[in-house]
Amino acid sequence: QVQLQESGPGLVKPTQTLSLTCTVSGDSISSGGYYWSWIRQHPGKGLEWIGNIYYSGKTYYNPSLKSRLTISVDTSKNQFSLRLSSVTAADTALYYCARVAFYGSGNYSPIPYGLDVWGQGTTVTVSS
Amino acid sequence: QSALTQPASVSGSPGQSITISCTGTSSDIGGYNYVSWYQQHPGKAPKFLIYDVSYRPSGVSNRFSGSKSGNTASLTISGLQAEDEADYYCSSYTSTSTPYVFGTGTKVTVL
């Protein structure tokens, strides 16, 4: 079955860049059948969508994070990654990667209708 | 884009039915039939429960059902069981600057 696994440092210093990778198994990112997403959850809080990426490199970002955010894909490794720069304590959260089911064209106005497979999540703490 | 509004908590006794509401606007819930629901047990990743307002992915119990009226979507859990105690989140496609938005989350307690 499809599995997603997040990896990366659990501790990042303020002002530095947070980098996470999601490794996909059981499905091929380059098949183009899904988008791939990052979501985070602050301690004791709800879910916050960070951004999506398609195998072609097309991305959608949360406007509140866009100036600091880069999501990239490596189809040869079947991975996608998150980079969030200039982090502060407010970026301390549990970070999830997920697969996004969508309708329509992946490269033109896709309509996401569900995050159907999730990774187990990885906790990132921003602290000096 | 503001989060969709859900009640903070809902409770019920085993065997009962409960309903969780999710209120948005005409730019999200009211404008599209792309509402989804997720169940999250403590310390676990969310689980995909409902999509397109009322459709269940394969393997999801038929005790979970979804509906929508105007700008409000609802998730009903029938025959409430102890294992249903979890947090529940709605989500909707939106025509604003983000492709979708999550709800604020509802904690379901089985009494």
Side-chain angles (χ1 to χ4, degrees):
Chain A
Q1 81 267 26
V2 182
Q3 292 185 316
L4 283 69
Q5 179 67 58
E6 305 89 350
S7 60
L11 181 64
V12 181
K13 288 181 167 53
T15 75
Q16 292 190 341
T17 296
L18 180 163
S19 296
L20 296 175
T21 295
C22 182
T23 300
V24 179
S25 59
D27 190 10
S28 172
I29 288 178
S30 58
S31 71
Y34 297 89
Y35 262 78
W36 305 88
S37 186
W38 288 99
I39 301 100
R40 69 181 182 181
Q41 188 169 32
H42 293 102
K45 301 297 184 183
L47 302 170
E48 179 184 23
W49 173 71
I50 297 173
N52 290 352
I53 191 165
Y54 197 47
Y55 82 99
S56 63
K58 187 170 180 63
T59 54
Y60 293 88
Y61 292 161
N62 186 323
S64 69
L65 299 171
K66 188 174 183 177
S67 63
R68 302 189 291 128
L69 180 63
T70 302
I71 298 177
S72 59
V73 63
D74 186 339
T75 55
S76 67
K77 295 182 179 178
N78 218 31
Q79 297 175 333
F80 61 105
S81 298
L82 162 75
R83 286 174 57 85
L84 187 65
S85 64
S86 305
V87 296
T88 70
D91 295 308
T92 292
L94 178 57
Y95 286 76
Y96 292 104
C97 59
R99 189 176 75 170
V100 187
F102 70 93
Y103 295 124
S105 166
N107 287 309
Y108 181 72
S109 298
I111 297 177
Y113 67 85
L115 299 154
D116 66 345
V117 182
W118 294 66
Q120 65 185 29
T122 188
T123 297
V124 177
T125 301
V126 178
S127 175
S128 56
Chain B
Q1 174 66 35
S2 299
L4 306 174
T5 301
Q6 299 179 232
S9 63
V10 173
S11 62
S13 299
Q16 285 186 330
S17 293
I18 61 169
T19 297
I20 303 167
S21 62
C22 172
T23 302
T25 68
S26 58
S27 294
D28 39 66
I29 292 176
Y32 307 94
N33 289 325
Y34 301 124
V35 177
S36 54
W37 289 89
Y38 303 86
Q39 175 193 59
Q40 186 179 33
H41 286 108
K44 299 293 187 181
K47 174 187 175 182
F48 189 35
L49 270 189
I50 295 282
Y51 68 98
D52 290 1
V53 176
S54 61
Y55 291 85
R56 288 184 302 275
S58 175
V60 173
S61 171
N62 59 9
R63 297 187 299 105
F64 296 93
S65 61
S67 62
K68 189 190 88 166
S69 178
N71 295 338
T72 298
S74 300
L75 174 71
T76 297
I77 309 175
S78 58
L80 198 62
Q81 299 179 1
E83 67 202 49
D84 300 329
E85 191 160 286
D87 293 325
Y88 292 81
Y89 294 91
C90 61
S91 180
S92 174
Y93 175 75
T94 169
S95 60
T96 62
S97 56
T98 61
Y100 48 74
V101 60
F102 285 107
T104 50
T106 298
K107 181 176 180 59
V108 167
T109 301
V110 181
L111 302 172

